[in-house]
Amino acid sequence: SLYGLATLFTELIPKFQVGIVEFSVEFFLFIPLVLAMLFDPLSAALGAATGELVFSEIMLGQFGGLGEITVTLGVYIAGRLVRNPKNQKMVGIAAMIGTGAQLFMGMMVDILKVQFAIEDFEAVAGLPESVFFTEGFAFFNDLLFSGILFCLLPTLFLVPKLYGKIEPLLGMQPRTAETALPTIGPKMIVGCGAAFVGAVVAEFLAETGSELIEWKAEWAESTGAMAIAMLVAAVVVVVVLVVMKKKADDSKVQKIK
């Protein structure tokens, strides 16, 4: 819910362009990244995709394609890389790898759509008329701006601040190198590759008008729909925080007894 709310908020932030460089907030990916490094990576990754799907699409009156798969994969990879959240260097590396993986997969999908003539190439003034150069430039632009400011730095700050404090609120033990999931292996690589192929196929079907699932309401993307979605997401977040605080208080009382 928190990531869905943040995704809605990014829609309200204006974009700035200086020459061929665009400064825009693409996402607040640090939210699921932090959770994936502190809790179960798969649960956090699926939760981020679900929050984006529910609050940024369905509640805005539209649904089509499965672009959230790249978010799920990027967050999951980052979470699996961090075995010890106290290792700040690894936290930073994982945050950039996860963000880079998500942006890279999005770039590859866009390139493939042009290469297979599913989507027309839109040249950018001031850049060579090459889809590889244009998409590559956009990739590095987003990685170095949104990736550092809204993924790397907040993650580096929040993971050590929350580690050991937020887990007990959910009745869980903090992650350690001994309790963390195994390191990334062939099975995970194959699984992520298969999921990415699924994302490409779903995107291709969406672009050709053959979506697996498509829905769009008359009030899609209206100001009212966005306001309601943000309100509902905020309420859900508040309820979860209240429940977590109550559990923490109950736990303290039991310890005193």
Side-chain angles (χ1 to χ4, degrees), residues 127-190:
L127 293 178
E129 293 188 7
S130 165
V131 64
F132 296 99
F133 191 94
T134 301
E135 292 295 337
F137 182 84
F139 165 77
F140 283 108
N141 183 60
D142 291 339
L143 182 64
L144 296 178
F145 183 68
S146 292
I148 292 176
L149 290 181
F150 303 106
C151 296
L152 174 62
L153 296 181
T155 302
L156 282 173
F157 175 77
L158 289 172
V159 169
K161 288 287 184 182
L162 297 176
Y163 179 69
K165 301 180 182 68
I166 192 172
E167 297 91 345
L169 299 180
L170 298 176
M172 303 173 66
Q173 294 296 321
R175 181 189 302 185
T176 63
E178 292 73 27
T179 60
L181 292 172
T183 54
I184 295 176
K187 186 181 292 187
M188 176 184 162
I189 295 173
V190 171

Side-chain angles (χ1 to χ4, degrees), residues 34-189:
V34 170
L35 296 177
M37 293 176 188
L38 296 175
F39 301 107
D40 175 56
L42 184 58
S43 299
L46 292 175
T50 303
E52 183 177 356
L53 179 65
V54 172
F55 296 106
S56 299
E57 291 198 26
I58 294 177
M59 290 201 68
L60 294 186
Q62 60 182 352
F63 175 72
L66 295 171
E68 293 79 12
I69 292 178
T70 58
V71 174
T72 301
L73 292 175
V75 172
Y76 181 63
I77 291 170
R80 285 292 299 269
L81 286 172
V82 178
R83 295 180 55 78
N84 180 12
K86 290 183 177 180
N87 187 340
Q88 200 164 18
K89 180 179 179 181
M90 194 63 229
V91 167
I93 292 173
M96 288 305 291
I97 290 178
T99 304
Q102 193 272 329
L103 291 172
F104 183 79
M105 286 184 283
M107 177 189 73
M108 290 304 300
V109 170
D110 290 339
I111 290 175
L112 289 172
K113 285 193 293 187
V114 173
Q115 292 298 107
F116 285 96
I118 293 176
E119 185 178 87
D120 295 330
F121 170 61
E122 296 181 5
V124 177
L127 293 178
E129 293 188 7
S130 165
V131 64
F132 296 99
F133 191 94
T134 301
E135 292 295 337
F137 182 84
F139 165 77
F140 283 108
N141 183 60
D142 291 339
L143 182 64
L144 296 178
F145 183 68
S146 292
I148 292 176
L149 290 181
F150 303 106
C151 296
L152 174 62
L153 296 181
T155 302
L156 282 173
F157 175 77
L158 289 172
V159 169
K161 288 287 184 182
L162 297 176
Y163 179 69
K165 301 180 182 68
I166 192 172
E167 297 91 345
L169 299 180
L170 298 176
M172 303 173 66
Q173 294 296 321
R175 181 189 302 185
T176 63
E178 292 73 27
T179 60
L181 292 172
T183 54
I184 295 176
K187 186 181 292 187
M188 176 184 162
I189 295 173

